[in-house]
Amino acid sequence: TLTVKADGEVSSTNSDLAGTVNLTGSSLKLSAENALGKASVAISEGAQLLLDSVGEFANTLTGEGSVEVQGVNVSISDREDDGTGNSGFSGSINVVDGAELTVNNILDTEFKDLFGTGPLAVDGSVTLSLVDAQSYELGQALSGSGTLSVTGKGSGTTLSFTDTVDGSFEGSLGLNNVTVSLGGNTATNLATAKVTAGTGSILEVQTGTARQILNTLTLDGGTLSFAGLGGAHVGTDTLGQLEVTSLDVTGGGIIDV
């Protein structure tokens, strides 16, 4: 076990490092790939791990501290296939303005393996690639004014936002080849977002008498559909309702009622 109590930086590769690195009240910056080797990283409350241009970050995270992504060449590995992951990390992950975080071939449908269970602040750019045609749930409290881009596998790939946070994400959400059902907590999370339905994506407004709200909606090859039925005597299967502050359809797409 290596305990770090003072601020510092690791700027070289340490592929053979194993065991556990404990951050206690300190700020540690990583500016090289494999800077901490295969070691797990325990970040105590008040401590901070800074990820500069480290390439792929594959270390297991635990603790209640924070991770700040600062670089433009950063990825976090999804390691669900080997039984490890970051589900023991309840701290925050912050992608700062100008930073870029990319995650390819995501296996974990609840994203705990990647981001833990704490909040995710996106002020830079985050790109997520969903590997399977199945349901994914982003349960982390989402905030920030950056860009979140999600690419799925087409039909059968769905994404929902399950945290109860109320409109804290004011950034852009780009969807490609993925379906999002707009209602419930998903609608609450995206109320102040700028949503773009790109190629192969479907934004489906859930049925019911509650009107769903979006700040900005852009159709750029995707589909906006409304569940339910119009007219009288439809009971609880009322045609979905959507209110948008700004609507842009110049990129083309389908509106299905």
Side-chain angles (χ1 to χ4, degrees):
T1 299
L2 173 64
T3 300
V4 181
K5 296 183 178 181
D7 294 351
E9 178 177 358
V10 182
S11 57
S12 59
T13 297
N14 297 285
S15 302
D16 294 331
L17 182 65
T20 302
V21 175
N22 290 324
L23 304 186
T24 58
S26 58
S27 176
L28 182 64
K29 182 177 182 178
L30 307 183
S31 54
E33 192 165 4
N34 290 322
L36 297 182
K38 301 177 180 65
S40 350
V41 185
I43 310 172
S44 65
E45 187 175 2
Q48 190 176 39
L49 182 67
L50 310 176
L51 302 181
D52 202 351
S53 298
V54 298
E56 182 181 28
F57 180 79
N59 304 74
T60 299
L61 298 172
T62 59
E64 301 175 350
S66 64
V67 175
E68 183 173 287
V69 178
Q70 300 180 329
V72 297
N73 182 30
V74 180
S75 66
I76 295 179
S77 294
D78 183 357
R79 288 144 292 130
E80 185 187 56
D81 57 338
D82 62 8
T84 63
N86 297 326
S87 59
F89 178 66
S90 59
S92 62
I93 294 182
N94 309 308
V95 183
V96 303
D97 186 19
E100 297 177 5
L101 174 64
T102 301
V103 189
N104 294 314
N105 301 322
I106 296 174
L107 300 168
D108 175 24
T109 58
E110 295 182 353
F111 297 94
K112 293 178 182 178
D113 186 52
L114 291 170
F115 302 130
T117 58
L120 174 63
V122 180
D123 286 307
S125 171
V126 176
T127 301
L128 305 177
S129 175
L130 312 180
V131 70
D132 290 324
Q134 58 183 325
S135 298
Y136 290 81
E137 296 181 356
L138 186 67
Q140 292 73 14
L142 185 64
S143 64
S145 56
T147 300
L148 176 62
S149 302
V150 182
T151 299
K153 289 293 184 180
S155 178
T157 305
T158 66
L159 175 66
S160 61
F161 297 79
T162 59
D163 191 79
T164 56
V165 67
D166 186 7
S168 293
F169 181 60
E170 298 180 346
S172 300
L173 172 65
L175 303 172
N176 287 283
N177 293 314
V178 61
T179 296
V180 171
S181 182
L182 192 64
N185 289 339
T186 296
T188 300
N189 275 263
L190 300 181
T192 56
K194 304 172 184 68
V195 179
T196 297
T199 304
S201 66
I202 301 173
L203 184 66
E204 182 182 51
V205 183
Q206 288 185 6
T207 184
T209 57
R211 181 180 299 172
Q212 313 303 337
I213 296 174
L214 285 178
N215 179 15
T216 301
L217 174 61
T218 299
L219 285 183
D220 189 18
T223 298
L224 172 64
S225 70
F226 293 82
L229 301 171
H233 311 297
V234 296
T236 59
D237 201 24
T238 305
L239 185 68
Q241 303 176 56
L242 176 64
E243 176 183 329
V244 295
T245 303
S246 175
L247 176 64
D248 182 357
V249 296
T250 56
I254 297 172
I255 298 178
D256 183 11
V257 180

